[in-house]
Amino acid sequence: DTNGVQQKKFKKFESYKRDNQFPSRVADLAIVVDVKAATIVLPIMGRPVPFHINTIKNASKSDEGDFAYLRINFLSPGQGVGRKDERDPFEDPNAHFIRSLTFRSKDADRMADIAQQVTELRKNAVRREQEKKELED
Amino acid sequence: MESFERIYLDLSKQPGKCRIAETGLGWKPSGGGDTFTLDANNIQAAQWSRAAKGYELKILSRNAGVIQLDGFEQEDFDRTVKVFKLFYGINLENKEHALRGWNWGKADFGKSELSFNVQNRPAFEVPYTEITNTNLAGKNEVAVEFSLPANGSETGTNGHLGGARGKGRKAGAGKDQLVEMRFYIPGTVTKKEENEDGEEK
């Protein structure tokens, strides 16, 4: 059953198992890119919230006034991107999705650096996924 | 009475001392200044979770919004449970958060906050006091905007509570400040689901 196999594969990705696995830098209420966990940790109302790189579509930085803005777009239904077989959670028609999160900071260089790191992490994830597929075929 | 050092009130810059007494709860910034107090009868519910600095004691108050006290040690849990039961008759709930890193789940609208749940565990919560605007940004897309200071340099309570960030100021706490969040909410809602949503606490 192809569907079952795909589902199992999909559910494999997980940022952390325990809350002591967060990088210690999350204490600063700032965005942390955790390369080892292929995860970006975002501060939301004082809580570190992990998002696995597999959920992220892209990240972009823009400047406006005194602030730099970092917008993180997530994979979600109705965007016409990604292949159907990679999107098993979309099978639940009632699921809600975080579609995007936007942060601002006065440190434009840091925001640009985070956007760059996310892009890099995303590229690596896609490459690894392709390599895995080729091995399976 | 129990007392805890190096606790942060509502994402404050400065740590302080938190005291839990029979009459209520207090927090005093280490650097000196005004003390925050919460009357025992204003405490409605309490949760214990992992947060940024350490473990967080979150209090859902009757008329002072959601109060967050971060920086507890894991081993403070038992002491805190005991006094909450003894002093306030409240069951301090150990609430584990979702750590999977998924962006899909269910947005739940509770009494004082919106929580996004992944596999029945909250990934994060947003008190309604922190939201300035919501709008339908597109088909099945809801945009939520957060309350932020215009210049980003104001310090919450203007320093008099160690820079604690009470109602409507939490999004501006860190150097990276959440501006906007967009949700995809499927449009086809059946009668049955509406009922289920309505029954949620």
Side-chain angles (χ1 to χ4, degrees):
Chain A
D1 173 351
T2 342
N3 195 29
V5 172
Q6 291 287 358
Q7 213 160 347
K8 227 184 281 164
K9 198 166 81 188
F10 193 88
K11 282 183 178 156
K12 251 184 215 163
F13 84 74
E14 181 171 46
S15 290
Y16 304 107
K17 287 202 190 306
R18 286 176 304 280
D19 60 26
N20 61 8
Q21 293 172 314
F22 279 118
S24 55
R25 286 173 295 148
V26 301
D28 301 336
L29 303 178
I31 297 169
V32 174
V33 180
D34 184 353
V35 175
K36 223 176 75 192
T39 289
I40 177 162
V41 186
L42 303 174
I44 302 180
M45 300 298 148
R47 200 176 301 289
V49 184
F51 289 97
H52 195 277
I53 195 66
N54 289 6
T55 66
I56 294 172
K57 187 177 158 197
N58 55 41
S60 62
K61 177 233 171 204
S62 61
D63 298 298
E64 206 184 304
D66 290 344
F67 290 100
Y69 289 79
L70 178 75
R71 183 181 168 125
I72 298 160
N73 289 312
F74 297 89
L75 293 166
S76 64
Q79 294 170 314
V81 293
R83 289 198 307 277
K84 277 264 189 300
D85 62 354
E86 281 175 348
R87 302 191 295 159
D88 281 10
F90 296 21
E91 281 173 2
D92 176 4
N94 297 317
H96 302 164
F97 284 75
I98 309 286
R99 182 164 260 184
S100 74
L101 292 172
T102 306
F103 285 82
R104 73 173 194 186
S105 167
K106 291 220 158 167
D107 190 344
D109 290 346
R110 222 174 65 79
M111 289 281 115
D113 187 44
I114 292 167
Q116 180 60 39
Q117 286 184 66
V118 172
T119 305
E120 204 57 40
L121 213 54
R122 180 82 205 124
K123 243 171 28 196
N124 292 343
V126 169
R127 200 180 49 223
R128 267 201 310 274
E129 198 53 48
Q130 274 168 351
E131 282 169 3
K132 230 162 73 184
K133 276 229 163 72
E134 279 166 21
L135 282 174
E136 280 163 7
D137 285 346
Chain B
M1 186 172 75
E2 290 284 2
S3 108
F4 303 88
E5 301 283 347
R6 296 201 65 79
I7 303 299
Y8 294 78
L9 168 70
D10 283 332
L11 289 62
S12 61
K13 286 247 185 317
Q14 269 187 52
K17 179 186 264 187
C18 174
R19 287 204 165 109
I20 304 175
E22 194 160 359
T23 51
L25 190 142
W27 180 86
K28 194 179 170 58
S30 306
D34 295 350
T35 302
F36 167 86
T37 56
L38 186 72
D39 235 41
N41 56 28
N42 204 349
I43 302 171
Q44 196 163 32
Q47 289 171 6
W48 182 269
S49 306
R50 167 69 209 242
K53 312 274 188 198
Y55 284 83
E56 174 199 72
L57 170 62
K58 183 164 83 179
I59 294 165
L60 306 172
S61 74
R62 281 182 215 283
N63 57 33
V66 178
I67 294 139
Q68 294 170 266
L69 292 150
D70 189 5
F72 288 89
E73 307 282 336
Q74 196 163 18
E75 52 268 28
D76 293 337
F77 179 63
D78 291 345
R79 271 207 289 163
T80 314
V81 167
K82 207 180 273 175
V83 286
F84 263 73
K85 189 89 219 161
L86 185 69
F87 295 158
Y88 316 134
I90 282 172
N91 180 30
L92 177 64
E93 196 187 343
N94 186 7
K95 199 138 206 162
E96 281 188 46
H97 281 66
L99 300 172
R100 301 203 76 119
W102 295 357
N103 71 319
W104 64 94
K106 273 275 186 295
D108 272 341
F109 296 88
K111 194 159 171 282
S112 38
E113 49 186 19
L114 154 69
S115 71
F116 190 76
N117 298 318
V118 173
Q119 291 191 314
N120 298 317
R121 280 184 183 182
F124 59 84
E125 302 92 342
V126 176
Y128 296 131
T129 50
E130 311 308 311
I131 297 172
T132 49
N133 196 23
T134 61
N135 65 78
L136 203 58
K139 193 167 173 273
N140 299 325
E141 187 168 310
V142 177
V144 176
E145 285 165 37
F146 297 94
S147 172
L148 284 169
N151 66 6
S153 61
E154 64 81 48
T155 55
T157 46
N158 292 326
H160 80 268
L161 271 176
R165 313 192 68 96
K167 288 188 262 181
R169 291 163 186 269
K170 288 181 180 175
K175 53 182 173 180
D176 300 331
Q177 308 176 337
L178 184 59
V179 179
E180 190 205 61
M181 185 180 279
R182 287 186 182 225
F183 292 97
Y184 168 89
I185 309 281
T188 46
V189 181
T190 68
K191 265 265 154 27
K192 191 167 165 275
E193 281 152 9
E194 272 173 7
N195 287 340
E196 275 172 10
D197 282 348
E199 276 163 23
E200 251 147 33
K201 290 165 273 171

